[in-house]
Amino acid sequence: FASMLGYSHEELRVTPVTEIGADDDKEATKSRLAELFAGERSSYRIEKKFRHINGHIFWVDASVSPIGDSEGNVETAITVNVDINDKKQFEQEMQEMNENLQGKNEELNAFAHSVAHDLKNPVSVIKGLADLLQTDLYDYEPDELYEVISKIKKAGQSMENIIDALLLLSRVRDEKISIEPIDMSESIQIALMQLEPIIDRKNAILHIPKEFPSTIGYPPWVQIVLTNYISNAIKYGGEQPIVTVSTEIKD
């Protein structure tokens, strides 16, 4: 026991066992020993934390049995301490790994939900425009038809951008993203184009600045953020949502 905790035999002889126990374990140890010496316990076994002479926690499996006199009075106790420090460290590491894995799973679920949300908008645009073409194809003038097809292509490009951004995100630890100037007016227009169905359905009123300050970043991710913000503002803005996009330059 002395070698486990780094103390000399003499130090252990003059130090109460409760004094070398971990601070959060002292009262429980005193209580068990009191019950043992009062004859209320025949013996007990517990995984217990001690304080190593260097200050760190050291775990043992302690089996404590009373030694009594001829009249049955408990005079002292004998303890067998088995070193389980490696076992407890392994358990702690496994617990941390499980907690980390649980956190990663929650992140993955949230990420999958976000991806589905991001892709749903351009898919809705493509489906809606395709339905219009299927129903009224021969009623369109060439210019109108060209405009619809252009919107379908833009929605498809938006989906491709989202997928490319996700692929980049999956390897972002190994590669650097490309920070570049962003045309925020164009990004807003792309977002509004993707959100046309919900804008029409909710009869939303949008206030968009005519000009935006110079901006740099990674365009595909900024595009996703803009689309999500405006989409949520429309969805949760009441019967006829009024959505205002504004900018502010800070030092």
Side-chain angles (χ1 to χ4, degrees):
F1 188 52
S3 64
M4 283 183 192
L5 301 181
Y7 296 93
S8 68
H9 288 194
E10 185 58 32
E11 285 174 317
L12 288 184
R13 286 194 188 97
V14 299
T15 304
V17 68
T18 53
E19 293 305 309
I20 57 174
D23 291 340
D24 60 351
D25 202 26
K26 287 182 178 180
E27 293 304 316
T29 298
K30 290 178 181 179
S31 176
R32 293 189 197 96
L33 287 175
E35 293 173 357
L36 191 77
F37 279 88
E40 298 173 4
R41 283 178 179 266
S42 58
S43 64
Y44 66 89
R45 179 180 177 183
I46 189 170
E47 293 183 349
K48 179 171 171 53
K49 294 183 286 185
F50 284 100
R51 191 174 61 253
H52 193 276
I53 195 171
N54 292 333
H56 63 265
I57 296 300
F58 195 95
W59 282 89
V60 302
D61 183 332
S63 299
V64 185
S65 300
I67 298 177
D69 58 18
S70 58
E71 297 179 1
N73 299 314
V74 178
E75 294 182 326
T76 186
I78 186 169
T79 305
V80 177
N81 295 300
V82 179
D83 178 354
I84 58 168
N85 203 52
D86 288 345
K87 171 194 170 190
K88 298 303 289 188
Q89 287 182 351
F90 175 74
E91 289 176 355
Q92 178 66 27
E93 289 171 2
M94 290 300 296
Q95 181 180 351
E96 292 174 357
M97 287 177 60
N98 288 335
E99 291 174 355
N100 184 55
L101 182 59
Q102 182 179 354
K104 292 296 183 184
N105 285 337
E106 291 173 357
E107 289 178 8
L108 184 59
N109 288 337
F111 183 67
H113 183 271
S114 176
V115 171
H117 184 278
D118 295 337
L119 290 174
K120 191 171 183 179
N121 288 322
V123 168
S124 297
V125 171
I126 292 172
K127 287 180 62 180
L129 294 173
D131 287 341
L132 287 175
L133 287 178
Q134 189 175 36
T135 304
D136 305 315
L137 178 61
Y138 297 106
D139 295 332
Y140 281 97
E141 296 295 329
D143 289 346
E144 295 175 325
L145 188 60
Y146 181 83
E147 182 180 353
V148 172
I149 294 174
S150 295
K151 289 181 177 180
I152 291 176
K153 288 183 65 177
K154 286 182 179 179
Q157 182 62 54
S158 178
M159 291 176 62
E160 185 176 348
N161 291 343
I162 292 171
I163 293 169
D164 287 344
L166 293 174
L167 291 174
L168 177 59
L169 187 60
S170 69
R171 59 180 189 269
V172 71
R173 291 185 178 180
D174 301 321
E175 296 186 16
K176 291 184 179 180
I177 62 173
S178 175
I179 300 298
E180 58 189 74
I182 300 174
D183 186 335
M184 295 297 290
S185 294
E186 182 182 358
S187 294
I188 289 288
Q189 291 306 313
I190 292 174
L192 297 181
M193 184 272 293
Q194 293 178 3
L195 297 171
E196 266 188 10
I198 188 174
I199 292 172
D200 293 341
R201 187 168 68 252
K202 298 278 286 187
N203 197 23
I205 299 172
L206 293 102
H207 299 298
I208 310 296
K210 292 182 179 179
E211 296 182 355
F212 287 86
S214 299
T215 309
I216 61 171
Y218 183 60
W221 291 350
V222 174
Q223 179 66 61
I224 290 172
V225 172
L226 286 173
T227 304
N228 281 342
Y229 272 141
I230 298 173
S231 173
N232 288 337
I234 295 171
K235 286 179 181 177
Y236 306 111
E239 288 298 322
Q240 187 180 27
I242 300 175
V243 179
T244 300
V245 178
S246 63
T247 65
E248 179 182 356
I249 299 177
K250 295 188 175 183
D251 291 340

